[in-house]
């Protein structure tokens, strides 16, 4: 197995609030990791530290064997160009989609390859078609985001991230802003990516989805990993009280019955 | 760029400038008070469904909002006296132009403010048996005035700047006095710089106040 | 009130009024041409410059916004030539003043537009590896400019009204020509009324256009409550 991403002792402090208190995770190729936790547990912040939407206060991020940032005299210096280069290899999907409203669906997907990766026209077109087809929205290419449903917008946002052909995908509560009847189509798309072997880190509140899609589940509490393991280990047979309480609070998630055999 | 600045000639004419400043403030205050007061009446008329109130008030507002204020002042100074039943001097002409202009602009502020109040508030007043006037004065205006305050302050700032136009018809406000002094003393650089600074010193604090008020409103949501 | 109206003298001199109108439009148009791009530069410097740039730019913008345009015009026409030892004619002084003055207002329009764009747009651009300049150029500005079009047009109309000041330094705009005709014909009531009418027609038509545009944009949800 090859490690795609290594998160090493990440701390993040906002003002005098320590949101992350030392997180270590190694993400293997094709692994799907779901991060759970109550609101305020730091799960979104952890995701945002990976592609430096937030700069970690301390700790290191290693992507595909390359450590990000230069350490000089005990301080890590991040150079903006290096971070932008990193971000081209890490796809991110946001809670509120954040599609570019002044561009068509197709232009949204081509924007990254064209202006950041400087791909030629044919390549941009090829990628746009390929990834819009993958999320099932090739037929909406010429529409504007405002003409799409929330679920469709989020699938376009996924295609936009995929078009960069990243090493890893981050999903930051990708279905939290959606009406309940639109959640399914987005989860289905993410599930397909998992089946195809995309490496993914997913922050979500959908426990049923976490159970079916995850190779590994991390449970975050107060800025630390309280518990981790397979979906069954964390969601069905949790060891820690914090995890148990959290699961109790999510009554709508019906735990699969413990198998007798 | 080896010009030697000399502000002594300004200090020598301090008295003239102070008179000008005083006249500026008188003009501004008179027009602001009258403008806001009558603006409320015109604004309510603009909101009315009665055509006898709506159309004349709308025509008035559009004419004064869509012509340059200097044209209005010059019209009242050069043209209006011909048909005016009373004497027009520079102050009356400037005050007329600026007041009517302020009425027109503040009427729109009142109207927009009234419109921004939820219909349910009118209905609640009506359900209590209030008359239209009571609903307006007891329920609607008290709520909307707070939202209008920044817009009114902006109007006051605009008005303060516009008073300088009265210099064109030789009303002895600050700008005019400056012009007079600078032709006598041949010190346009120091003179106009000073005048600009005086206006800035008066107006800028208000700009900051508006900003702070708007920021606070935004925080409240 | 038995005044004998006589508009004939005004129509005899109509050519002069039109000449003035063209000069009005010339000053307005040129000031816009310089003022808008300059306003964008000022807005960007004020938003993203280091403090030794941001602070002076802020002061310049606030200064032009908080002083009467006539004081600015007089300064550029009467004071600046002495200071730099170069003669500036009324036309150049007018264009210079109104370019700078309007750029201060346009800067605030641009700034308002840029900050009104949702933070998520910056993040989405960043997430696909765009740097700040690219995000601004490709993602933020196109949206901000579209949103700000009504505010721009309103400012342009304000600018046209403000250009009536150029008559005070003897540049022959519409109002200046009206004054000239009034003095030579003693028909100031008719002349100033016609001049006001010309301004009204032009400005009113523009305002109605802006209002329609605003209404249409509000319907499609493209404008902010600015």
């Amino acid at each position: 197995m090859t490690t795609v991403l290594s998160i090493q002792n990440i701390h993040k402090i906002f003002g005098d609030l320590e949101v992350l208190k030392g997180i270590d995770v190694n993400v293997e190729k094709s692994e799907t990791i779901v991060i759970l936790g109550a609101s305020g547990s730091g799960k979104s912040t952890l995701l945002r530290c990976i592609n430096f939407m937030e700069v970690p206060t301390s700790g290191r991020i290693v992507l595909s064997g390359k450590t990000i940032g230069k350490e000089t005299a005990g301080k890590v210096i991040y150079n903006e160009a290096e971070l932008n280069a990193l971000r081209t290899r890490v796809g991110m999907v946001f809670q509120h989609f954040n599609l570019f409203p002044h561009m068509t669906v197709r232009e949204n997907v081509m924007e990254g390859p064209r202006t950041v990766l400087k791909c030629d026209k044919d390549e941009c077109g090829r990628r746009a078609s390929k990834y819009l087809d993958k999320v099932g929205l090739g037929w909406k290419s010429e529409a504007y985001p405002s003409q799409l449903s929330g679920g469709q917008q989020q699938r376009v946002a996924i295609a936009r991230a995929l078009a960069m052909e990243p090493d890893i995908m981050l999903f930051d509560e990708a279905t939290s802003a959606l009406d309940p009847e639109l959640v399914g189509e987005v989860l289905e798309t993410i599930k397909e990516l998992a089946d195809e072997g995309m490496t993914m880190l997913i922050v979500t509140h959908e426990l049923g989805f976490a159970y079916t899609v995850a190779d590994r589940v991390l449970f975050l509490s107060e800025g630390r990993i309280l518990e981790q393991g397979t979906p069954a280990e964390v969601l069905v047979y949790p060891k820690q009280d914090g995890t148990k309480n959290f699961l109790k609070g999510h009554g709508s998630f019906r735990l699969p019955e413990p198998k007798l055999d | 760029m080896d010009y030697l600045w000399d502000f002594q000639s300004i200090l020598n004419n301090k008295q003239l400038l102070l008179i000008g400043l005083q006249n500026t403030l008188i003009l501004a205050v008179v027009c602001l008070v009258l403008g806001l007061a009558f603006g409320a009446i015109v604004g309510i008329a603009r909101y009315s469904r009665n055509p006898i109130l709506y159309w004349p008030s709308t025509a008035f507002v559009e004419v004064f909002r869509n012509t340059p204020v200097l044209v209005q002042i010059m019209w009242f100074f050069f043209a209006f006296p011909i048909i005016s039943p009373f004497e027009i001097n520079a102050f009356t002409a400037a005050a007329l132009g600026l007041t009517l202009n302020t009425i027109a602009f503040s009427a729109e502020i009142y109207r927009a403010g009234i419109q921004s109040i939820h219909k349910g508030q009118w209905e609640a007043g009506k359900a209590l048996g209030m008359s239209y006037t009571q609903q307006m004065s007891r329920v609607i205006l008290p709520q909307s005035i707070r939202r209008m305050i920044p817009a009114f302050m902006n109007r006051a700032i605009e008005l303060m700047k516009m008073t300088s136009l009265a210099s064109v018809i030789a009303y002895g406000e600050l700008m005019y006095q400056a012009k007079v002094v600078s032709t006598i003393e041949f010190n346009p650089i120091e003179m106009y710089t000073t005048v600009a600074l005086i206006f800035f010193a008066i107006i800028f604090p208000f700009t900051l106040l508006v900003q702070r008020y708007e920021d606070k409103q935004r925080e409240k949501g | 009130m038995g005044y004998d109206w006589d508009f004939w003298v005004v129509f005899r001199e109509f050519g002069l009024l039109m000449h003035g109108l063209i000069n009005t439009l010339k000053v307005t148009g040129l000031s816009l041409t310089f003022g808008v791009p300059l306003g964008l530069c000022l807005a960007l410097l004020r938003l993203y410059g280091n403090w030794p740039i941001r602070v002076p730019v802020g002061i310049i913008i606030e200064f032009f916004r908080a002083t009467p345009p006539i004081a600015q015009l007089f300064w550029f026409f009467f004071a600046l030539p002495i200071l730099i030892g170069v003669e500036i004619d009324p036309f150049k002084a007018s264009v210079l003043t109104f370019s700078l003055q309007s750029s201060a207002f346009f800067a605030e329009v641009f700034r308002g537009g840029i900050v009104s764009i949702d933070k998520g747009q910056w993040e989405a651009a960043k997430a696909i590896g765009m740097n700040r300049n690219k995000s601004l150029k490709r993602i933020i500005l196109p949206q901000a400019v579209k949103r700000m079009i009504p505010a721009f047009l309103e400012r342009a109309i304000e600018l046209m009204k403000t250009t009536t000041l150029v008559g005070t330094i003897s540049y022959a705009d519409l109002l200046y020509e009206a004054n000239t005709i009034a003095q030579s014909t003693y028909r100031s009531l008719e002349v100033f009324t016609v001049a006001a009418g010309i301004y009204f027609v032009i400005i009113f038509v523009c305002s109605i256009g802006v209002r329609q545009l605003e209404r249409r944009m509000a319907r499609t949800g493209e404008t902010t409550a600015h």
Side-chain angles (χ1 to χ4, degrees), chain A residues 187-218:
Chain A
L187 295 184
E188 195 54 42
T189 307
I190 300 175
K191 176 102 184 25
E192 277 166 28
L193 291 176
D195 294 343
E196 285 170 22
M198 173 57 82
T199 313
M200 300 196 284
L201 275 172
I202 302 171
V203 167
T204 184
H205 291 293
E206 305 280 341
L207 300 190
F209 172 70
Y211 185 81
T212 49
V213 80
D215 298 315
R216 180 154 48 124
V217 176
L218 305 183

Side-chain angles (χ1 to χ4, degrees), chain B residues 18-28 91 171-174:
Chain B
L18 280 176
I19 293 170
L21 181 59
Q22 198 184 339
N23 286 339
T24 292
L25 293 175
I26 291 172
L27 184 61
F91 176 78
Y171 171 64
E173 49 67 73
L174 185 55

Side-chain angles (χ1 to χ4, degrees), chain C residues 9-10 12-13 180-188 191:
Chain C
V9 287
V10 183
R12 217 175 42 212
E13 304 285 1
T180 314
I181 299 167
Q183 275 170 21
S184 62
T185 61
Y186 302 105
R187 283 285 169 185
S188 37
V191 178

